[in-house]
Amino acid sequence: MPTHEVFNQVPPIAPFDLSHNPALLEGLHREGAGWAEPEVRELGVFAGSEEVQDWGRLANEYPPVLHTHDRYGHRVDEVEFHPHWHDLMRVAVRHGLHATPWTDNRPGAHAARAAKFFTWGGAEAGHMCPISMTYAVVPALRHNPELAAKYEPLLASTTYDFGLREPSTKAGLIAGMSMTEKQGGSDVRANTTTATPQPDGSYRIVGHKWFTSAPMSDMFLTLAQAPGGLSCFLLPRVLPDGTRNPIRIMRLKDKLGNKSNASSEIEYENATGWLIGADGGGVKTIIEMVNMTRLDCVIGSATGMRTGTVLAVHHARHRKAFGAALVDQPAMRNVLADLVIESDAATTVMMRLAGATDRAGGDPAEAALRRIALAVTKYWVCKRAPAHAAEALECFGGNGYTEESGMPRLYREAPLMSIWEGSGNVAALDALRAMGRNPETVEAYFAEVSLAKGENPRLDDAIARVGKELADLSDIEYRSRRVVELMALVLQGAQLVRHGHAAVADAFCATRLGYDWGMAFGTLPTGVDTAAIIERAFV
């Protein structure tokens, strides 16, 4: 017998357009990549389709499985993925979300790629890890021009060619990175893996790595102790003679989130590698790759914020409580508007960093700005993502705590970006290191934020506070998070004041840079134009 009628339930959001994002599209044009808007929109529609949203769900519900041996007992070291993982990878590669910008001479190529990475990442986050590493490997690989000439065209290929074959025989390549070890973590100089020179110019690599994501990639950059000290090496999974490089996958990590992506522990059993960069210059070489993946950490966090905001607003528009839609309840409007403000700030500064990446090669000021802005932004935006995800989930009430809502997957994913490529303290201290070693980065930072001076008194006051913090070097490491947080907020505020929606910029400066804000989302002061702000998350 029927016991009740089902009503007041929120309809599925799919199909929807993940590129329908004013902050993203405005930034795309501002950074000189307006030519990419049709492709960004195409990706947005596809990413928000029922089909692709289902790809992401299934790739996470059925995570990768490691097969160390075949049925006969031969060592195979293979990871089996859900078929939709490969579908997601195929689309990402076809649209050049990996290394294609390095071979694209159009202005704004990196900004275009950032917008596409952001948009497609809303479909599923895990597969973006190998896509990001393939993007990031090129600047480091260029330290060995011979290897770069051989592999860069394949890394930038728009053909996804999954399979265990010698790299030069494939139509396209995916790259990974192995740095950390059990005893060191972020302290990579504590690595014990050894690299012994061979007569043919290669090196014999012996040791272990504690975290190697996407172990089915075609090649990896790794750190090992060579005669001259810690050095960077390229290790293909299949050697030029067609034999397998003895890179043993010991186990896959059972992670909090990022379930669709395989992260592993590996052993090098006399593996063969080739030196990238100078002997003893491993950190300097691989930092080229790390800096690019840090940009993608910012993009990934901004993507998660936008996804959480859109889902929360969609829920609030269709769910009623106490006689009115949630979106019309004053307390909920405060929360939703605050989520939009945080999301817009992250997206706007993300696009500025992508634009600086485009211009850094020919503009020393942009290169200096990118160095410091990336460090402070990686720290702060990635720190905000987990709190943002938690608040967006709470907008659903108990419905958000169920897996079917999709919010738990978003919530579990959120902390990763703050941990990957240097957790909070590492990122904050890296910002201080950049300013100490390269004083021009400080000049570039103040030149950038000063472009917004005179537009908002709270921003002007905050810029002055940054100057005071940097003028006092006492206990600077102890205060590193405080200093870097303020620098990141000022940078975001300056971007919003110059380029953002007026209501968003005013509310951001009043709260993040002022003193009229509580300790949680949803504590905006009265007078904020919440209607105009929330509308920016309508899809």
Side-chain angles (χ1 to χ4, degrees), residues 493-513:
Q495 298 305 312
L496 288 174
V497 165
R498 294 180 62 206
H499 308 299
H501 188 283
V504 172
D506 289 345
F508 182 94
C509 292
T511 54
R512 279 70 169 171
L513 300 180

Side-chain angles (χ1 to χ4, degrees), residues 420-496:
W420 191 28
E421 305 302 15
S423 53
N425 285 347
V426 173
L429 292 173
D430 181 56
L432 297 186
R433 188 179 304 110
M435 292 185 283
R437 292 180 178 178
N438 307 104
E440 66 274 13
T441 61
V442 181
E443 297 174 11
Y445 173 85
F446 279 108
E448 177 70 17
V449 299
S450 294
L451 293 173
K453 270 190 172 181
E455 299 295 327
N456 186 290
R458 291 185 178 89
L459 176 60
D460 291 349
D461 177 64
I463 293 172
R465 284 175 13 226
V466 172
K468 291 178 182 177
E469 291 281 359
L470 295 181
D472 179 10
L473 297 180
S474 61
D475 299 321
I476 190 67
E477 286 197 14
Y478 180 82
R479 294 185 293 115
S480 59
R481 288 190 175 210
R482 174 190 178 97
V483 172
V484 171
E485 174 183 319
L486 179 60
M487 292 180 69
L489 287 169
V490 167
L491 181 62
Q492 286 184 314
Q495 298 305 312
L496 288 174

Side-chain angles (χ1 to χ4, degrees), residues 86-287:
H86 298 294
D87 290 330
L88 291 160
M89 289 288 291
R90 194 171 292 109
V91 174
V93 170
R94 184 170 70 243
H95 286 274
L97 276 61
H98 57 325
T100 302
W102 301 108
T103 60
D104 189 343
N105 294 321
R106 287 175 292 183
H110 290 275
R113 181 259 177 191
K116 291 187 290 184
F117 191 94
F118 176 102
T119 301
W120 184 245
E124 200 283 316
H127 79 290
M128 304 305 279
C129 174
I131 294 297
S132 175
M133 291 191 294
T134 306
Y135 168 66
V137 74
V138 172
L141 188 60
R142 286 177 175 175
H143 285 272
N144 186 319
E146 182 180 349
L147 291 176
K150 182 177 181 180
Y151 293 125
E152 190 172 320
L154 294 168
L155 291 164
S157 167
T158 53
T159 299
Y160 176 59
D161 187 359
F162 183 82
L164 195 62
R165 300 195 306 279
E166 200 279 316
S168 64
T169 68
K170 301 188 71 176
L173 301 176
I174 297 296
M177 172 172 52
S178 292
M179 293 198 300
T180 60
E181 297 184 3
K182 297 181 182 74
Q183 72 284 350
S186 295
D187 183 9
V188 294
R189 295 191 183 279
N191 285 3
T192 60
T193 297
T194 60
T196 305
Q198 302 299 301
D200 64 356
S202 67
Y203 285 74
R204 191 59 51 85
I205 312 295
V206 178
H208 78 282
K209 294 296 173 183
W210 189 229
F211 273 97
T212 298
S213 278
M216 298 306 289
S217 298
D218 299 295
M219 55 178 57
F220 304 91
L221 289 194
T222 197
L223 293 176
Q225 300 288 354
L230 192 64
S231 305
C232 181
F233 297 90
L234 176 71
L235 279 71
R237 287 186 64 230
V238 179
L239 297 169
D241 63 4
T243 61
R244 294 190 179 189
N245 213 355
I247 303 172
R248 307 304 187 197
I249 305 175
M250 308 309 291
R251 64 170 176 162
L252 300 185
K253 299 287 193 179
D254 186 7
K255 299 170 293 183
L256 169 68
N258 206 246
K259 295 289 190 178
S260 70
N261 179 39
S263 297
S264 65
E265 298 170 25
I266 65 170
E267 299 280 348
Y268 297 129
E269 296 182 357
N270 285 317
T272 299
W274 284 267
L275 184 65
I276 304 292
D279 185 0
V283 174
K284 182 179 180 181
T285 301
I286 209 165
I287 201 68

